[in-house]
């Protein structure tokens, strides 16, 4: 500590003497490498900070087994992409922020097959795609201006079977509770 503020390297230990956390501070502000370990000694998270903000970097989080749980890429303290993994190492979901107006999230089964893709434009649902167990496009919902939606259904071979225009609150949309104009935050994904 320097003048009552954390300064320099700070190391926190578990009761058994293993390192729990290592961080660096300048005048009480996180600056440098930040590492958190599991009680087993395996890494849980690693990040780099500059003046209290995450730098352009990739951060990692791990399961207790030591397997990679999440990797996130930040630029100027803003999340730009994230991948989360099942404990078996297969990808669980991935999120890409193409710009401040477009976000794409893909979700996968534990077997590694895509099962859902969500595209947000201006924090509102734009496209929602659902895939079969085999990872083939089953149907997709498009939100257009206002409250109207379009649903496209596909055959197992990928051929367009039908296209329906449906207003909010009608038919399958009321049952599925899909809201096109609801704001969706990045944290909710």
């Amino acid at each position: 500590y320097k003048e009552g503020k954390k300064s320099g390297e700070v190391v926190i230990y578990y009761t058994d003497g293993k390192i729990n956390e290592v961080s660096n501070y300048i005048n009480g502000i996180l600056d440098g490498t930040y590492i958190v370990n599991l009680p087993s000694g395996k890494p849980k998270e690693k990040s780099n900070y500059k003046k209290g903000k995450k730098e352009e970097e990739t951060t990692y989080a791990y399961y207790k087994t030591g397997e990679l749980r999440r990797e996130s890429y930040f630029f100027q303290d803003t999340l730009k992409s994230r991948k989360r993994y099942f404990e078996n190492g297969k990808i669980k979901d991935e999120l890409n922020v193409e710009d401040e107006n477009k976000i794409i999230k893909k979700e996968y089964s534990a077997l590694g097959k895509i099962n859902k893709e969500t595209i947000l434009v201006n924090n509102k649902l734009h496209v929602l795609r659902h895939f079969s167990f085999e990872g083939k496009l089953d149907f997709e919902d498009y939100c257009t201006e206002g409250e109207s939606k379009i649903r496209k259904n596909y055959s197992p071979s990928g051929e367009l079977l039908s296209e329906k225009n449906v207003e909010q609150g009608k038919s399958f949309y009321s049952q599925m509770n899909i809201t096109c104009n609801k704001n969706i935050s990045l944290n909710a994904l």
Side-chain angles (χ1 to χ4, degrees), residues 78-90:
T78 301
L79 179 66
K80 293 296 183 182
S81 68
R82 179 194 70 210
K83 287 184 181 179
R84 294 189 296 189
Y85 299 88
F86 291 105
E87 284 191 72
N88 67 8
K90 300 234 183 240

Side-chain angles (χ1 to χ4, degrees), residues 21-26 29-36 45-59 70 74 77:
E21 183 179 307
V22 179
S23 53
N24 291 282
Y25 289 85
I26 297 176
I29 298 171
L30 197 56
D31 196 283
T33 302
Y34 173 73
I35 300 170
V36 178
E45 186 172 341
K46 182 179 178 183
S47 306
N48 287 306
Y49 286 83
K50 185 77 170 174
K51 297 181 181 177
K53 295 184 177 186
K54 287 185 180 175
E55 294 184 300
E56 179 179 2
E57 64 151 351
T58 302
T59 63
R70 180 186 68 238
F74 292 86
D77 207 34

Side-chain angles (χ1 to χ4, degrees), residues 43 67 75 112 116 126 166 170:
E67 296 295 321
F75 180 73
K116 184 176 168 184
H126 182 64
V166 180
K170 309 260 183 183

Side-chain angles (χ1 to χ4, degrees), residues 140 151-155 157-164:
E140 54 190 345
R151 170 164 282 187
K152 294 181 179 182
N153 291 298
Y154 296 88
S155 72
S157 65
E159 182 181 337
L160 179 64
L161 294 175
S162 66
E163 185 173 328
K164 295 180 183 178

Side-chain angles (χ1 to χ4, degrees), residues 21-189:
E21 183 179 307
V22 179
S23 53
N24 291 282
Y25 289 85
I26 297 176
N27 294 322
I29 298 171
L30 197 56
D31 196 283
T33 302
Y34 173 73
I35 300 170
V36 178
N37 292 320
L38 296 165
S40 65
K42 292 182 179 180
K44 179 180 179 186
E45 186 172 341
K46 182 179 178 183
S47 306
N48 287 306
Y49 286 83
K50 185 77 170 174
K51 297 181 181 177
K53 295 184 177 186
K54 287 185 180 175
E55 294 184 300
E56 179 179 2
E57 64 151 351
T58 302
T59 63
Y60 301 93
Y62 300 87
Y63 286 103
K64 289 180 181 179
T65 60
E67 296 295 321
L68 183 62
R69 187 182 82 206
R70 180 186 68 238
E71 59 183 313
S72 305
Y73 172 72
F74 292 86
F75 180 73
Q76 297 178 344
D77 207 34
T78 301
L79 179 66
K80 293 296 183 182
S81 68
R82 179 194 70 210
K83 287 184 181 179
R84 294 189 296 189
Y85 299 88
F86 291 105
E87 284 191 72
N88 67 8
K90 300 234 183 240
I91 191 164
K92 182 178 187 178
D93 64 44
E94 59 185 322
L95 180 79
N96 289 297
V97 181
E98 292 192 358
D99 58 41
E100 54 275 353
N101 299 319
K102 188 175 183 182
I103 300 168
I104 300 172
K105 181 181 181 185
K106 295 179 182 179
E107 298 174 38
Y108 300 86
S109 72
L111 299 173
K113 301 281 186 181
I114 188 166
N115 60 24
K116 184 176 168 184
E117 179 181 44
T118 306
I119 300 174
L120 302 179
V121 176
N122 296 322
N123 295 329
K124 295 185 186 330
L125 183 62
H126 182 64
V127 179
L128 182 61
R129 293 185 175 108
H130 288 267
F131 297 83
S132 69
F133 183 73
E134 294 84 23
K136 295 183 179 184
L137 185 59
D138 190 20
F139 66 89
E140 54 190 345
D141 295 320
Y142 288 85
C143 292
T144 59
E145 300 270 337
E147 290 291 320
S148 65
K149 297 169 191 71
I150 298 168
R151 170 164 282 187
K152 294 181 179 182
N153 291 298
Y154 296 88
S155 72
S157 65
E159 182 181 337
L160 179 64
L161 294 175
S162 66
E163 185 173 328
K164 295 180 183 178
N165 214 347
V166 180
E167 292 181 30
Q168 179 70 23
K170 309 260 183 183
S171 184
F172 51 80
Y173 288 104
S174 60
Q175 296 169 12
M176 294 176 61
N177 196 24
I178 296 174
T179 306
C180 284
N181 287 330
K182 180 181 175 185
N183 278 332
I184 301 171
S185 72
L186 184 60
N187 292 336
L189 297 174

